[in-house]
Amino acid sequence: MTESTTNRDRLMLTAIDLMAEKGYQGVTTKEIAAAAGVSEMTLFRQFGTKLQLLEQAIDRFHYAGEMEELFSTRLTWSLREDLLRITRAYHDIMDRNRKLVLVMLRSAELSDLRDRAQDHPRQLQQLLTAYFQEMHRQGKVKAIDSEAQAMAFMWMNYGAFISRLHNADLITAVSQEQFLQTSIALFVDALTPMNERIKER
């Protein structure tokens, strides 16, 4: 990792921390630079503006790249194993980015940036849709609307993440692992053709 890359990541992570604490408008580029241990000129040279810094942080830290790698190299074509792997990866990435998500949700002035951030779930939806289509082609998944199934899977997991973000422990004692195992079992039972169920017994 080059010094320039290190500075860029440090600036982005520092900006996210400060914005999560004070809000997007409550933080200046001067504060971000000082907290990251660089000059404000370095920030301007690396990113241009505070908004461009946040845009690049979304591209750098959000999940599209990691998900593409997972789908291209780590699938086993076992529905249960794959959905668990995808779900765990999704929650790991979202938990890691919880401060970034909070900044985006709390700042009304970032509506255009929220639209840009939709590229990540859009890419995940395409990956999942193609996965369900291929699993159907292999006879491992029932005939379904693959895009609708992908969205159901994504909305379920996004809802669980948002619930945890806002203190889910206040409404349930169900752990994240219990949620993952139960929700994946429901999907697998609903999608697996009868002949595949018989093979697994």
Side-chain angles (χ1 to χ4, degrees):
M1 185 179 283
T2 67
E3 184 178 349
S4 174
T5 302
T6 302
N7 280 343
R8 288 175 64 82
D9 282 359
R10 184 164 59 245
L11 278 163
M12 287 187 282
L13 291 169
T14 300
I16 292 167
D17 284 344
L18 289 172
M19 289 175 192
E21 179 185 346
K22 300 180 179 183
Y24 175 77
Q25 291 288 12
V27 179
T28 66
T29 52
K30 189 172 184 177
E31 285 179 275
I32 295 168
V38 300
S39 70
E40 191 175 19
M41 185 54 65
T42 296
L43 185 152
F44 290 142
R45 191 167 53 248
Q46 295 278 352
F47 299 101
T49 67
K50 182 170 69 172
L51 183 62
Q52 288 171 322
L53 186 158
L54 193 54
E55 286 177 353
Q56 292 185 45
I58 290 169
D59 291 341
R60 171 73 175 84
F61 298 117
H62 220 329
Y63 58 68
E66 288 183 60
M67 283 297 183
E68 286 175 5
E69 188 274 334
L70 186 158
F71 275 82
S72 64
T73 65
R74 292 161 52 202
L75 295 182
T76 64
W77 304 105
S78 161
L79 187 61
R80 186 180 303 275
E81 289 178 24
D82 288 342
L83 293 185
L84 272 171
R85 182 171 282 121
I86 294 162
T87 302
R88 287 196 171 115
Y90 174 86
H91 286 285
D92 285 349
I93 297 165
M94 293 297 281
D95 287 342
R96 199 166 65 222
N97 286 318
R98 61 193 301 114
K99 287 183 179 180
L100 179 58
V101 173
L102 283 170
V103 171
M104 299 296 294
L105 291 176
R106 289 173 177 170
S107 304
E109 64 272 24
L110 297 177
S111 59
D112 288 346
L113 203 52
R114 281 194 292 275
D115 290 343
R116 174 192 173 107
Q118 291 304 306
D119 287 345
H120 291 269
R122 193 173 295 115
Q123 285 176 262
L124 178 55
Q125 176 264 312
Q126 291 168 356
L127 291 167
L128 279 166
T129 298
Y131 172 76
F132 286 128
Q133 289 171 343
E134 175 58 22
M135 288 292 278
H136 173 60
R137 191 193 68 76
Q138 293 183 23
K140 296 177 179 179
V141 161
K142 295 176 184 176
I144 53 169
D145 181 328
S146 296
E147 183 175 347
Q149 193 61 56
M151 291 309 303
F153 185 78
M154 289 172 61
W155 281 331
M156 175 189 71
N157 282 292
Y158 181 70
F161 167 74
I162 290 295
S163 183
R164 286 203 324 279
L165 195 63
H166 297 294
N167 296 319
D169 56 339
L170 297 178
I171 58 172
T172 182
V174 173
S175 69
Q176 180 172 332
E177 185 59 26
Q178 285 175 291
F179 161 75
L180 295 183
Q181 294 290 344
T182 301
S183 60
I184 295 307
L186 288 171
F187 267 83
V188 171
D189 287 347
L191 296 179
T192 303
M194 185 58 68
N195 63 318
E196 286 293 312
R197 292 190 196 183
I198 292 168
K199 281 186 201 173
E200 291 177 2
R201 287 176 186 169

